[in-house]
Amino acid sequence: METEGLVLDLQTIEKLREDFRELSSNLRYRLDETNDSIDQVAKTWQDDNFQKFYEMFKKDKERLEPLFQRVDVFEQEFLTDIEMNLREYLALQDTI
């Protein structure tokens, strides 16, 4: 990934990783919460329009999972690598 002109410091990377973890966690929580609520309504509400909405929601939920996975991979792999490289670099700078 190109980082020319991008200032990367350890605190920024740590904060970015934290923000991505929080984003992923919050999105999953809210989606699960919404799913639980819709499941409860689906037990008693048999309206055709609601059933169509329910089916569309389930499909949308399935489509969101790859996004969650990509956010997790970006945070856990890419940003972790950058953080580890910065830590190594900063440790080397302290020895010069």
Side-chain angles (χ1 to χ4, degrees):
M1 176 173 244
E2 181 66 36
T3 58
E4 186 175 321
L6 189 65
V7 176
L8 298 174
D9 61 72
L10 196 52
Q11 293 79 20
T12 300
I13 295 300
E14 289 171 342
K15 175 76 169 107
L16 189 56
R17 287 188 66 213
E18 180 182 326
D19 289 348
F20 271 100
R21 283 190 299 268
E22 187 176 320
L23 170 69
S24 183
S25 176
N26 285 344
L27 286 173
R28 279 194 168 104
Y29 175 77
R30 291 187 187 279
L31 186 59
D32 289 343
E33 193 175 58
T34 302
N35 186 66
D36 292 345
S37 296
I38 291 174
D39 282 344
Q40 288 299 315
V41 171
K43 290 177 183 177
T44 58
W45 203 353
Q46 301 300 319
D47 178 74
D48 286 341
N49 286 331
F50 176 77
Q51 292 302 318
K52 288 177 188 174
F53 165 78
Y54 186 50
E55 291 302 316
M56 289 174 54
F57 175 80
K58 288 193 295 188
K59 287 178 185 176
D60 288 343
K61 184 179 174 189
E62 289 173 12
R63 290 177 48 214
L64 285 171
E65 186 56 37
L67 173 63
F68 294 139
Q69 291 173 3
R70 290 189 70 157
V71 168
D72 290 344
V73 165
F74 181 75
E75 183 273 320
Q76 294 168 3
E77 294 177 12
F78 180 74
L79 291 177
T80 298
D81 286 347
I82 289 176
E83 182 178 335
M84 293 303 116
N85 288 336
L86 276 171
R87 288 183 186 281
E88 285 179 31
Y89 175 76
L90 293 172
L92 288 174
Q93 291 299 309
D94 288 343
T95 62
I96 296 178

